[in-house]
Amino acid sequence: MSTAGKVIKCKAAVIWEPKTPFSIVEIEVAPPKAHEVRIKILASGVCRSDDHILSGELKVNFPIILGHEAVGVVESVGEGVTSVEPGDKVIPLFVPQCGECSPCIHPKGNLCKLNDFGTFFGLMSDGTSRFSCKGELVHNFVSTSTFTEYTVVHESSVAKIDAAAPPEKVCLIGCGFSTGYGAAINSAKVEPGSTCAVFGLGGVGLSAVMGCKAAGASRIIGVDINKDKFPKAKEVGATECVNPLDFEKPINEVLIDMTEGDGVDYSFEVIGRTDTMIAALTSCNMNYGTSVMVGAAPTKSEMTVPPGLIITGRTLKGTVFGGWKSKDSVPRLVSDFMQKKFTLDPLITHTMPFDKINEGFELLQTGKSIRSVLIF
Ligand code: PAD
Ligand code: ZN
Ligand code: ZN
């Protein structure tokens, strides 16, 4: 029997307040309104950005359904939806692409004005939610919310992908892979023969290593305080790895020494700490080095950058979703994956049923996983 137009009761992992585990509860998911799409989730990855909400580092409105790196199937669509239809395999987009606002129109832009990234309003564009639990409104997360059997997103926050793509793998194209890989290819524009340093070798950092390698970098130095991350980093392209805890001097001085006093051409901060953002900036060449901030620093944190670090010619920049225009690029990235232009296997260390979500987060928090993928 068709569920279109009806409220769906299903299981979701809800967070009621920070620093508490997920509770799997029954929620009600309202039908999609005009220009909205209701999606049955098939697989969703566990990303550190979700964990920043659990830890309280990023501030949002509670209760909330997290999750933003997923694959699903369209269950039904609201009035006026033209780009997807029921039965399509899709990836929800935490950075939307409306195609009409100034960043969408500008060739260099990708942060569509419909984004809820940074403000974490947690509601649909009409100020209401499609989620409720026992009559209480539940917020969404970065226009997606994928730790639920069903979600509703705006049409600009969903892209149709190849029906043959394996959900438990290509879900990483919804965030971790695309963010890291794009940081190297699009945001830094790494050049052949260059030297790169990647701070933080989690799912996003390893994807940045893969992007640096694909761009032809000749040296890629991985930096992490967890040496267990080094073998995987070398497998995906790091030429050497260093642990800041092994040195008495600051890691930026170590990297300057390793590059005969020059510093690296490109550095990437893929952790989410202001001290490592400064270290990454200081590690790059004083005259032409570029440092890209990828990690999400805590809400309201501030960073003091001595002007002398920049005046000599360094560039400090940031990236959201690796600079990709999401709705255009995600289907292409999926077809590149299907044509074996890159692999996602090294990034996926664990898969588990959706109701084991708390175990997935514990593996991330204890540094034992790269990506855990929840299967619905
Ligand atoms: P992760 O936790 O899997 O990886 C972080 C890595 O950093 C781990 O291997 C840690 O051991 C390491 N680390 C922690 N502290 C230090 C330190 N002081 N020095 C060196 N290494 C350290 O996270 P992830 O790969 O899922 O995400 C990384 C960051 O990127 C995180 O802040 C997340 O919120 C952010 C992110 N940003 C975007 C974006 O669009 N900009 C998208 C997705 C994720
Ligand atoms: Zn993410
Ligand atoms: Zn837009």
Side-chain angles (χ1 to χ4, degrees):
M1 205 174 67
S2 171
T3 45
K6 297 176 187 152
V7 170
I8 292 180
K9 288 189 179 179
C10 68
K11 280 195 294 181
V14 176
I15 292 288
W16 298 90
E17 53 187 296
K19 300 184 179 139
T20 57
F22 291 92
S23 48
I24 307 258
V25 293
E26 187 180 84
I27 60 158
E28 299 197 321
V29 183
K33 292 192 181 174
H35 303 291
E36 295 176 358
V37 179
R38 190 159 61 181
I39 303 165
K40 183 180 196 309
I41 300 293
L42 301 175
S44 185
V46 168
C47 175
R48 180 63 76 169
S49 301
D50 302 304
D51 190 65
H52 288 328
I53 312 297
L54 299 188
S55 67
E57 281 179 18
L58 289 181
K59 306 279 181 230
V60 298
N61 295 315
F62 292 91
I64 187 166
I65 297 172
L66 300 176
H68 61 282
E69 182 181 88
V71 169
V73 172
V74 174
E75 174 269 340
S76 63
V77 299
E79 212 184 304
V81 170
T82 54
S83 60
V84 293
E85 57 185 47
D88 284 349
K89 194 176 271 185
V90 291
I91 290 185
L93 307 169
F94 74 90
V95 173
Q97 186 187 350
C98 75
E100 289 168 8
C101 71
S102 53
C104 278
I105 290 168
H106 198 285
K108 291 184 187 167
N110 84 319
L111 187 59
C112 171
K113 286 188 177 174
L114 290 188
N115 84 84
D116 193 25
F117 195 86
T119 44
F120 303 121
F121 184 47
L123 298 172
M124 304 304 283
S125 47
D126 65 354
T128 64
S129 177
R130 301 297 160 264
F131 301 132
S132 60
C133 180
K134 296 191 182 96
E136 186 174 350
L137 179 151
V138 179
H139 294 88
N140 69 32
F141 181 50
V142 288
S143 330
T144 46
S145 286
T146 58
F147 295 152
T148 167
E149 291 175 321
Y150 287 86
T151 191
V152 179
V153 304
H154 191 273
E155 185 180 10
S156 57
S157 284
V158 60
K160 180 179 173 177
I161 61 163
D162 184 341
E168 71 286 0
K169 294 187 181 178
V170 299
C171 59
L172 268 60
I173 291 174
C175 180
F177 172 77
S178 308
T179 298
Y181 197 79
I185 305 255
N186 301 326
S187 310
K189 296 192 172 32
V190 169
E191 290 157 331
S194 52
T195 297
C196 303
V198 178
F199 286 63
L201 301 172
V204 186
L206 292 179
S207 302
V209 170
M210 290 162 86
C212 292
K213 187 178 177 190
S218 55
R219 264 184 103 182
I220 305 169
I221 307 169
V223 181
D224 204 298
I225 51 172
N226 180 351
K227 65 176 173 23
D228 295 346
K229 305 282 173 115
F230 295 169
K232 192 58 76 80
K234 289 187 176 159
E235 184 189 326
V236 300
T239 52
E240 55 228 283
C241 289
V242 287
N243 183 344
L245 303 177
D246 288 344
F247 300 90
E248 285 196 353
K249 57 167 92 169
I251 192 63
N252 44 291
E253 288 181 23
V254 173
L255 288 163
I256 301 277
D257 289 348
M258 286 172 77
T259 50
E260 285 74 46
D262 285 337
V264 299
D265 299 304
Y266 300 97
S267 64
F268 300 85
E269 201 279 354
V270 203
I271 304 164
R273 300 171 54 97
T274 53
D275 60 343
T276 43
M277 286 170 185
I278 301 278
L281 174 67
T282 316
S283 305
C284 73
N285 184 282
M286 67 184 295
N287 188 209
Y288 47 77
T290 295
S291 188
V292 182
M293 291 166 39
V294 186
T299 303
K300 292 196 178 151
S301 58
E302 288 190 1
M303 190 166 94
T304 305
V305 180
L309 278 183
I310 304 283
I311 187 89
T312 56
R314 286 186 183 89
T315 300
L316 175 61
K317 61 191 299 190
T319 183
V320 171
F321 195 50
W324 301 103
K325 285 187 185 290
S326 61
K327 197 156 170 147
D328 292 345
S329 307
V330 160
R332 282 192 225 128
L333 286 163
V334 171
S335 62
D336 285 354
F337 170 79
M338 296 300 279
Q339 290 167 39
K340 300 195 171 28
K341 292 190 182 163
F342 58 83
T343 172
L344 296 168
D345 289 343
L347 303 175
I348 303 165
T349 52
H350 300 75
T351 53
M352 60 194 72
F354 169 48
D355 55 12
K356 299 263 192 269
I357 184 169
N358 284 311
E359 285 175 31
F361 275 85
E362 201 183 311
L363 287 165
L364 178 76
Q365 288 153 2
T366 52
K368 291 185 182 132
S369 60
I370 299 298
R371 273 298 197 262
S372 292
V373 175
L374 307 171
I375 310 291
F376 288 70

